[in-house]
Amino acid sequence: MLHDTAPAVRLDAVEVAYGAASAVGPVTGIFERGQLHAIVGPNGAGKSSLLGALAGHLPAAGCITIASDLRDRIGWLPQRTQIDRSFPIQVDDFAALGLWPRIGAFGAVGVPHRRAIDGALTRLGLQGLQRRLIGELSTGQFQRLLFARLCLQDARLLLLDEPFTALDERTATDMLALLHEWQREGRTVIAVLHEHAVVHDHFTNMLLLARQPMAWGAPAEALTADAWQHAQACMASHQRMAEVAA
Ligand SMILES: Nc1ncnc2c1ncn2[C@@H]1O[C@H](COP(=O)(O)OP(=O)(O)OP(=O)(O)O)[C@@H](O)[C@H]1O
C-alpha cells in the first residue's frame, strides 16, 4: 500500500501515442515527492505529451501510479496559448475556479472565499485588478493569475507546462520564488521547461527526453552539453525515420 513516503509519481513503461504514431516512451522511473522536477528536451521530444498523461488528460499505455494522498490534489498549469482569453470572465471569478475542488461546481463563493481570492491575487501582485477581464491582462499578469488560481487550489502535485515561456524577467523571478515556496511546503512540482539556465539554477531533478529518456538526475550531472547534443541527434534521427515512413 502506498503511503506518504512513496514517490509522488511512478512510471512503468509509460507510452503516449496519437493514433499509430508514438509521441513518447517507454518511460520508466520515479518523481520523488517534495522536489522541483523539470522535463526538458528538444521540440517534439514528447514533454507535453508525457505531462498530459501524468495529468490524466491523455491516455497512456503502461502504468502511471500517483501516490494515493496526491491523486486528488493535482494542479495543472496549461500552456498559456491553450487558453481562450476572449472569454468574458473577470480576474477574481477566474481565480475562483481554483476553489472548485473545495466548493464544488454549484457551491457559493462566500466571504471567506472572497478573502482567500483577494489574498492569492495580492500574493501574485494582482491587487486592484479583480474586476478586469482576463483578456485585458498583459502576458505576465495573466501568468500570475494562472498561478493565483493554482495557489487557491492548494494542490500538492503541480504539473506545469512551459510556465516561463515568453515571460518578462520580473514575473519569471516571482514565479520561481513561488515554486521554491511550494517546495518548502513539501509540494511536488513537475514542469516542462525550455530554459536550461532555470533548470540548472532552480530545479533539483531533471528528465531529458528525446521521445525516450536520455538522462534523468540532478541537472548538474544529467543536463550536460553532451547529453543535450545526444538528445538532438536522436530527435533528428526520429525525424528522418518519420520522413522515410511518410
Ligand atoms: N494532438 C496531437 N496529435 C497528433 N500528434 C501530436 C499531437 N500533439 C503532439 N503530437 C506529436 O507528438 C510528438 C510529441 O509532441 P509534444 O508536444 O509532446 O512534444 P514537446 O516535447 O512538448 O514539444 P515542444 O517543445 O515543441 O512543445 C510530436 O511529434 C508531435 O507532433
Side-chain angles (χ1 to χ4, degrees):
M1 158 135 174
L2 291 170
H3 50 87
D4 64 11
T5 58
V9 183
R10 182 183 293 280
L11 306 178
D12 288 302
V14 171
E15 292 188 61
V16 180
Y18 298 95
S22 171
V24 64
V27 183
T28 295
I30 58 172
F31 293 99
E32 292 287 3
R33 62 175 63 223
Q35 305 283 323
L36 300 181
H37 300 275
I39 302 178
V40 303
N43 289 127
K47 305 178 295 293
S48 295
S49 298
L50 183 63
L51 198 74
L54 297 186
H57 299 163
L58 292 173
C63 187
I64 299 174
T65 309
I66 312 273
S68 54
D69 59 310
L70 303 181
R71 253 170 240 160
D72 297 328
R73 307 284 304 273
I74 299 176
W76 168 254
L77 183 91
Q79 288 183 21
R80 267 191 319 281
T81 49
Q82 291 172 344
I83 298 175
D84 178 8
R85 286 223 271 147
S86 64
F87 191 79
I89 181 171
Q90 280 184 186
V91 164
D92 53 357
D93 292 333
F94 186 89
L97 296 172
L99 293 170
W100 182 82
R102 273 182 276 165
I103 60 178
F106 303 105
V109 176
V111 173
H113 299 126
R114 284 283 158 209
R115 245 183 249 127
I117 292 165
D118 286 347
L121 292 176
T122 301
R123 184 181 184 191
L124 270 301
L126 295 173
Q127 59 279 11
L129 299 180
Q130 281 87 335
R131 305 232 175 264
R132 289 267 186 96
L133 294 176
I134 61 168
E136 296 169 356
L137 298 181
S138 70
T139 300
Q141 286 170 334
F142 186 60
Q143 192 70 341
R144 287 170 184 272
L145 177 57
L146 291 175
F147 272 86
R149 188 178 65 168
L150 274 181
C151 287
L152 285 164
Q153 197 180 334
D154 195 22
R156 302 295 302 174
L157 172 60
L158 295 124
L159 306 176
L160 317 177
D161 199 356
E162 302 196 14
F164 303 116
T165 299
L167 279 193
D168 61 283
E169 206 176 317
R170 171 85 196 275
T171 304
T173 304
D174 288 352
M175 299 308 101
L176 278 165
L178 185 58
L179 257 58
H180 285 294
E181 204 176 312
W182 283 343
Q183 190 193 7
R184 284 194 294 277
E185 292 166 353
R187 301 175 204 268
T188 307
V189 173
I190 305 176
V192 168
L193 293 178
H194 283 284
E195 302 79 7
H196 289 196
V198 169
V199 176
H200 276 290
D201 291 348
H202 297 278
F203 280 71
T204 47
N205 284 283
M206 185 274 336
L207 165 61
L208 172 59
L209 279 181
R211 298 294 177 88
Q212 294 184 349
M214 309 302 293
W216 204 335
E221 284 104 53
L223 188 53
T224 60
D226 280 354
W228 182 252
Q229 270 172 18
H230 189 204
Q232 285 184 309
C234 282
M235 285 308 298
S237 151
H238 276 297
Q239 191 75 38
R240 278 194 299 276
M241 287 196 301
E243 281 163 13
V244 169

